[in-house]
Amino acid sequence: MLRSMPCWRALRPTRAIGAGLNQLAANDLSARLPRFDLAELSVISGVFNTLAERLQTTLAERNTLTRKLIEVQDEERRHLARELHDEFGQSLSAIAAQAAAAAHTAERECPPLYEECRGISRTTAHMMKTLRGALVRLRPPDVEELDLTLSLESLVASWSGFEKGRTRFEIAVTGEADDLPPGVSASLYRIAQEAITNAAKHAHARHVQLRLEAGDAYIILCVEDDGEADGASLTPKAGMGLLGMQERVVSLGGTLQFERREAGGARLVARIPTMRVEP
């Protein structure tokens, strides 16, 4: 007479299947199931492993395509920045020079026109300031040459100068963040740039803090502010650049979280696997 199999041993395969499903649900596509003694369960194991492998391959292909798309977009931004600088920037410089010359002449020969010429000069100066800000957003510093830490410090310093004390900006970097691949550093800079812009310009924050933690396994970029929160809607808006940030983070195999608190303020956290450049 055959002895019945202990209950715990009979349920062991179902526990393994459940654990594997939980891994997939947590976006761990490296999950694989072993072969089981029971033929029916081995079929489930084979289908599970095939599905996980296909998902892993598809995700890797999608991330590669996304990175290439981001590279194309960044190159288009650099091209547009060059066009704006060479064409629009030079035209504004010419208008400023002509307005200054006209003001000089009007001061001597036609005083009633002097203030109008000065008004043209002020408008032109404002347009040139706006253009410089747009160029910085379109064409960020060469992160590969300046390294990521210095680039982020420069970004924070430029915002501090622009806001003139209306908003306090802080930065804290821990760990070694300057030996990352150029594409990773550029994406982290872009994410920080977009998040700080949102906090300073749209949330009207009084305090913005940027933290970068470079660990052995993950790099965590956090931008936190005390800006205004809309109690009726605590979800991020599409126009806040979150889609672009999400694409950059996902293409690097990471995750992006956005939290907005009812008391005011928001926190954006990007978490990506650490990828070092081999010496």
Side-chain angles (χ1 to χ4, degrees), residues 173-177 179-180 188 212-221 271-276:
V173 178
T174 58
E176 183 54 57
D179 59 351
L180 304 174
L188 287 170
L212 181 68
E213 301 174 10
D216 294 332
Y218 289 95
I219 298 173
I220 301 175
L221 175 70
R271 178 187 177 97
I272 66 170
T274 300
M275 291 171 277
R276 305 288 186 186

Side-chain angles (χ1 to χ4, degrees), residues 198 202-203 228-243 245 256-263 265-268:
N198 286 337
H202 305 307
E228 299 174 356
D230 183 0
S233 174
L234 300 180
T235 57
K237 298 178 181 179
M240 295 172 64
L242 288 172
L243 179 59
M245 289 188 277
L256 184 72
Q257 294 179 328
F258 180 89
E259 303 172 358
R260 183 174 287 173
R261 301 184 298 269
E262 301 223 9
R267 180 188 299 109
L268 183 139

Side-chain angles (χ1 to χ4, degrees), residues 3 6 13 23 47 56 61 87 102 109 128 140 146 161 164 185 188 206 234 252 260 263 266:
R3 294 182 179 180
Q23 282 184 267
V47 173
Q56 195 172 30
E61 292 174 348
E87 300 296 333
E109 300 180 6
M128 293 181 71
L146 296 179
K164 299 186 185 330
S185 296
L188 287 170
R206 296 174 298 278
L234 300 180
L252 298 173
R260 183 174 287 173

Side-chain angles (χ1 to χ4, degrees), residues 95-221:
I95 292 173
Q98 292 172 356
H104 182 69
T105 301
E107 188 177 20
R108 290 183 291 104
E109 300 180 6
C110 189
L113 292 179
Y114 175 75
E115 282 303 320
E116 293 188 22
C117 293
R118 294 294 298 165
I120 295 174
S121 295
R122 288 190 293 270
T123 301
T124 305
H126 177 72
M127 293 177 67
M128 293 181 71
K129 181 179 179 181
T130 302
L131 175 62
R132 284 194 293 270
L135 291 177
V136 169
R137 290 190 294 273
L138 287 170
R139 185 182 57 194
D142 193 334
V143 179
E144 186 175 1
E145 290 186 6
L146 296 179
D147 73 46
L148 179 59
T149 300
L150 187 58
S151 298
L152 291 176
E153 289 174 349
S154 176
L155 173 66
V156 171
S158 66
W159 270 105
S160 295
F162 179 79
E163 289 293 324
K164 299 186 185 330
R166 292 186 296 269
T167 302
R168 182 164 55 93
F169 296 88
E170 294 180 352
I171 180 172
V173 178
T174 58
E176 183 54 57
D178 296 330
D179 59 351
L180 304 174
V184 176
S185 296
S187 289
L188 287 170
Y189 179 91
R190 283 291 193 186
I191 293 167
Q193 182 184 46
E194 190 69 42
I196 290 177
T197 301
N198 286 337
K201 295 187 65 176
H202 305 307
H204 309 293
R206 296 174 298 278
H207 180 209
V208 179
Q209 185 178 52
L210 167 65
R211 296 193 306 274
L212 181 68
E213 301 174 10
D216 294 332
Y218 289 95
I219 298 173
I220 301 175
L221 175 70

